[in-house]
Amino acid sequence: MEAVILILGLLVVFMALGVYATVKVVGAARRGVDRTITQARRTVEDTTLRAKSYGQLGVGAELAQLRLTLRTSMRATQEALRAGVAEDASLSESLGLFERLGVHGRELDEELKALEREPDKATIASRLPGLKERTAQITGSADALRWAARDRARQFAADDLSTLNAQIDVEAGALRHWTTEEPAARPGRPADRGGEPEAPGAPGGDRTPPEAITARDPRRQNAYPWQKTARPETTN
């Protein structure tokens, strides 16, 4: 009976885990689809705004250009800050300020979008100077945050490279530093008294001829780690 209860309990646990995993997979897939749809919608809107800004005249083209400028600046800053905060936690405060700025940016974008459908072009034309000033304020702040984050990342990279170069210079100098010590005198060797010493056992001052110098066997030289070991010759 206990074994049956244990098996039933394990089945319930496995089923719960399966349901949880299924929900997670479905949720991740749904988020991926939502991101794809959102990206596609943004691409279509940007393309439409470009077409209006270059293919039309009057206040309609100016409104489209303001929206395109606003969206481009805000998106670029958002991507820069989100990418930078993963490596520099101090950018989190900048990201928080940008989120507050984004509220004003979305409000302005919605207002510009509504004015595109407004038939009273004269009223829109009278409001254009104020709309341009608001757009310039928002995009100016967004651009300032984006370039400050980039300058900070570039300065960190420059400091790191400078430190690395200094360390490499020190290491290179250490690698080039070597000393040659004079060999110590052999014990028991007679000192030079103005002439060559007589060889021991040579009668009458006769000198024994020096031994012939033979070439060093290359196979007995010290091998370096990067050299292959010489194979011994075989004779048939």
Side-chain angles (χ1 to χ4, degrees):
M1 188 64 180
E2 294 180 356
V4 174
I5 295 175
L6 178 61
I7 293 174
L8 291 176
L10 291 175
L11 288 176
V12 172
V13 171
F14 290 151
M15 290 177 62
L17 291 176
V19 172
Y20 175 78
T22 303
V23 171
K24 295 292 289 185
V25 170
V26 172
R30 182 177 300 172
R31 288 191 296 270
V33 172
D34 292 341
R35 285 194 298 268
T36 303
I37 294 175
T38 302
Q39 183 63 33
R41 185 184 295 114
R42 289 176 179 175
T43 302
V44 172
E45 291 180 356
D46 290 347
T47 303
T48 303
L49 290 175
R50 289 190 181 92
K52 289 181 179 180
S53 61
Y54 294 111
Q56 296 182 1
L57 297 176
V59 294
E62 294 190 51
L63 290 174
Q65 184 60 50
L66 289 177
R67 288 191 65 197
L68 185 61
T69 301
L70 176 65
R71 293 161 65 91
T72 302
S73 175
M74 297 296 285
R75 186 177 301 120
T77 304
Q78 183 183 52
E79 293 176 353
L81 292 179
R82 287 183 176 178
V85 75
E87 299 180 357
D88 187 357
S90 61
L91 291 179
S92 58
E93 184 176 355
S94 300
L95 187 59
L97 292 174
F98 173 77
E99 295 296 337
R100 294 173 56 188
L101 182 66
V103 175
H104 296 276
R106 285 189 293 271
E107 291 177 353
L108 178 58
D109 183 68
E110 291 295 331
E111 183 177 351
L112 294 172
K113 185 177 180 180
L115 290 176
E116 288 179 344
R117 300 186 296 269
E118 175 62 43
D120 189 356
K121 303 302 180 184
T123 302
I124 297 175
S126 64
R127 294 186 178 182
L128 273 178
L131 294 172
K132 290 180 179 179
E133 183 179 358
R134 286 173 60 191
T135 303
Q137 289 178 347
I138 294 175
T139 57
S141 297
D143 294 344
L145 283 175
R146 184 174 70 255
W147 284 109
R150 290 176 176 173
D151 291 343
R152 180 180 177 86
R154 186 175 63 251
Q155 184 61 43
F156 282 165
D159 293 342
D160 183 69
L161 180 59
S162 178
T163 302
L164 180 60
N165 287 336
Q167 293 175 350
I168 290 176
D169 290 341
V170 172
E171 180 65 16
L175 291 175
R176 291 191 179 97
H177 180 72
W178 58 83
T179 57
T180 304
E181 298 181 356
E182 293 293 334
R186 296 179 181 177
R189 182 177 178 180
D192 189 2
R193 299 180 180 177
E196 296 182 356
E198 296 181 355
D206 294 336
R207 301 182 180 88
T208 58
E211 298 180 356
I213 299 176
T214 58
R216 181 179 299 179
D217 187 353
R219 293 175 299 179
R220 301 185 62 180
Q221 295 180 2
N222 294 330
Y224 295 97
W226 55 83
Q227 290 180 334
K228 293 183 178 180
T229 304
R231 298 180 178 178
E233 298 181 359
T234 59
T235 57
N236 295 329

